[in-house]
Amino acid sequence: MRAPVLVGRDDEVDDLDRILAAGRKGQGSAVFVLGEPGIGKSRLAAEAVSHAYGAEMAVLRGRASAMGPAVPFRPLAEALLAVGRTGNLPGTNELGPYRSVLGRLVPDWSDGDTGAPDGSLIVMAEAVLRLTSVLGRDRGCLLVLEDLHDADVETLAVVEYLSDNLGRQATVLLATVRNEPGDALDLARAASRRPGCVGIELERLDLTDVHRLVASCLDVDVADVPLDVATRLWENSAGNPFAVEELLHSMIGAGQLRRDADGWRSVRDVRAEVPTTLARSIVARTDRLGPQGRSLLSVAAVLGSRFPLSIVQRVAGVDDHTLLTNLRAGVTAQLVATDDGGPDWYRFQHPLTAEALLTQLTPVDRADLSRRAADAVAAAHPGVPGEWCQLVARLRLDAGNNLAAARLFTEAGRRALADGAAGSAVLLLERAESLVAVTDDVRNRADVLEALLSALGEAGHIERAFQLAATLPSHAAGLDVNRLATLHLRLAWVAHSAGRVADGMAQVAAARELIGPDAGDDATAEPDAVLAYLTLIGSGPERVREAETLGRRAAEAAERVPLPMIACQALWVLGTVGRERDLTEAGDYFARTQEIAQRHRLPGWRLRAVVGLAGNAWLDRADTAALRDAEQEALRAGAVSLAHTVEAILGLDAVLRGDFAAGAVRLDECLGSVRRMRMVPIERYVRMALATLAAHRGRRADMEHQLAEFNRIGGADSPEFPLTIGLARTFCALLEEDVARADEELALVVATQARHPTTFYLSGPRGLLLLLGVLAGTAGWTEHAEVTQTAPGRMRWNRQFGLLAEAVLLGRDGKLTEAERAFVAAQQLAEPYRMTQHLGLRLVAEPAYADGWGDPVGWLRRAEDHFHTADVPAVASACRGLLRQFGATVQQRRTGTDRVPTDLRELGVTVREFEVLALLARRLGNRSVAERLHISPRTVEKHVASLLVKTGQPDRQRLMDYATTRLSTV
């Protein structure tokens, strides 16, 4: 008695058609279909799927599970599995690191253990967004997620993220939600008020629509359905389509509605069938299946609205023939149907069916069935992997075995946390905690609490974690001190993740007091490691040195025990702070981290070490090859945060190289992703790099905008703050020819780093500050030695300024040959950095001219040409002013200057002279050249004479040969 067509939803279908059409054109949206159980949400979703298929859109479809507690990401995993079955899964080139992230939902998509997938929930949401974008390219994509009221908090978070970010891509999200109080309904209501989101609330059918629905179920015309039957069904069902169908089925089964030669006729009064007896109607239908059929469906109801047939058979203890016979009867009675979960999976036609069956079980019978079902699942699936763990936990709870249920909820919570579903982990572990709180099992209470503290930290529920800290004494009764210390250390790591240094240090102090001063390496390594991390993000002039001391002690202890994870944590700290002293030493620490991680199968730490080594190569030699390799490895591994970190570094590298267009593209792409995913530390780095981009182009207003955004997200207190001054503000001042302001900016960097030492080394004090001090006469050989003998001073970016300072000092000492040699070395080091290479020419030209060494006129011409072309007028004008002071000719800037090749501009060739040279390449005489340029032959002769001097050619014939050869390459 199921209607083959959708009845009474014409307006809603029209709305969905318009939304799907807009989605195919790249105007995505989120649609939430709301309503009571049985109102037709799933049927409307099925209609949308049918229309999407008809328009050749990509379609993904998943449903939340009602099997016990919500399974993290289940509806998303089901939707993605459909993509995998088609064989059309996009590759790494299209999805980047997000392909491996999706491998957390569908393991077959993972590329192995080459890296560690990023555990961020926002990263998972971005991965789903990217997948739908790729699948929907040129045709649109419909993602249907049904029964969100049964979904886990992670799926709801992904849905919220998608709702906020679908507007500019060809994806439509359609979600169905019961209009019952809960997080899903709150999300749907809130989202529907935002642009790009639509809420469709399904109303009950009126009498006319119920009449049409009944006619459709009976496969007759409306006129052939007795009006009194339609009216009574409408009254008794209150217009709920599912109730109409159930009551209609019951009427026919009970003989109240029969078909004869004249059509369908009501036989007796049906007023007794009212909505409150719908459950009785469903149970009556199961009774008609006989005792075995009713028993089998009762077992299925205990398992949930979805159930695996093999488990039902184990619990019921029936043979295949009996099982399949009764199953077919249930399908025929329209009580159960096949499920998308696989060939073994079935579902009740409606969740109310399972609920109605459960009401008929006594508490004793339900507990017994739950116990037997739990045993059957555990036997069929050893170790209860995946969602089986939560199902068995719920069944043990229903069977009255609270302690076994608590252990299973704890295990499920740990698994959810490992999969990045921190919100679900918190819910599962809090459920476990409530079950063990009233027991005497201290060890189990400690197990639950330790896992719960980690989950609360990952989920960002910091206050709740520290509220639990107050309960440690009651939870600790009977625990050994080492186990209690471990709980304090879990709280310390939570504090570190939240940036709460003082709270974290207090927890470390409590742990140390418990383990005592004579504890062994196995007890002291982790307190030292977490304290090293807390110290590094803290404040104070000695924090870097103290963090290094703690890290070294932790690393040595962890390697002796051994404790590989803690060893990697500590060695990474040592590698980071070791760059201050020696890049080779820092590299050794990263290499040891890599080796330990590789040996102990810790892919995340191995990848972090790879990035650390690649960063060293970049700082030392401006070599980006290793960084690019690390980026690709992070992409393959699905380590999204690391991939975006490297992407941001490469974006800054492009800026420093003067490749502003490429840097802008890379940084803008990175910014869009990290903003959506709320990766604030990476966003701060990108904002710093974008501010540097604007500064190196001499665009103060753009720089100030980026710095305002940087400060808005906590930049003023971040490690990147000195870089915004040394790489951005200082250079912007220099490109405005405001050296005094540049000096003030660098003084601020020095003061800031004195209070809060940083592990970023390109902010100026180890390079540019030395050069400006030497130029101003406030720094000499002593300061030069202090800077250039440090590891940061030898980093390539800083070393270019140190060599320029050396050249100026040598020139002042009269060592002209050595000065020129140092200058050439500086220019070679600055070769990758086009802007600073030319800025160095401008800054050093004046002292070189005064001391009589080098080619200051040639340098200024090169610098003037560069900054004129780059539209940095202040520096270009300063170069022209110095050329005039030196008595050199100054190139007249006219429209078309950019057409003159750079090397000819550096020789002083003007636009008009270049035009004459181009015509000389065609072997034309002075009169012919004059006619084409509309000037006099005498003027042409003057231009030819000037070209002979500037190009160094002996006569007109050689000049024409030169023009022919030179311009053939233009």
Side-chain angles (χ1 to χ4, degrees), residues 350-523:
H350 196 277
L352 292 178
T353 305
E355 294 171 14
L357 289 167
L358 290 175
T359 62
Q360 302 303 304
L361 294 174
T362 66
V364 173
D365 288 341
R366 183 169 181 178
D368 180 60
L369 281 179
S370 297
R371 177 188 57 76
R372 288 158 54 195
D375 291 343
V377 173
H381 301 280
V384 286
E387 61 186 284
W388 297 113
C389 186
Q390 294 184 51
L391 174 60
V392 176
R394 194 258 296 168
L395 291 170
R396 295 295 186 203
L397 184 61
D398 290 346
N401 192 340
N402 289 6
L403 190 56
R407 289 171 180 155
L408 287 163
F409 279 128
T410 302
E411 178 60 25
R414 288 191 180 118
R415 294 176 186 178
L417 186 60
D419 287 339
S424 287
V426 168
L427 295 176
L428 291 163
L429 291 165
E430 284 184 334
R431 193 163 187 178
E433 199 260 347
S434 68
L435 292 173
V436 299
V438 295
T439 71
D440 296 327
D441 195 329
V442 178
R443 184 170 297 280
N444 265 321
R445 290 207 307 266
D447 287 343
V448 174
L449 187 59
E450 183 177 345
L452 180 55
L453 289 173
S454 297
L456 289 168
E458 289 290 329
H461 303 325
I462 307 303
E463 293 303 327
R464 168 78 173 113
F466 278 93
Q467 287 172 4
L468 273 179
T471 71
L472 282 181
S474 61
H475 281 82
L479 277 182
D480 64 77
V481 292
N482 287 331
R483 188 63 191 279
L484 183 56
T486 298
L487 295 177
H488 283 291
L489 293 176
R490 291 291 80 74
L491 278 166
W493 285 114
V494 169
H496 172 264
S497 67
R500 292 172 54 162
V501 176
D503 287 335
M505 289 186 170
Q507 295 300 322
V508 175
R512 282 180 160 172
E513 184 176 353
L514 285 167
I515 63 178
D518 300 323
D521 290 339
D522 57 336

Side-chain angles (χ1 to χ4, degrees), residues 6-12 202-206 209 212:
L6 189 62
V7 176
R9 305 302 183 199
D10 294 345
D11 291 342
E12 290 84 353
L202 298 183
E203 303 294 338
R204 294 176 177 177
L205 301 182
D206 59 20
D209 286 333
R212 291 172 54 208

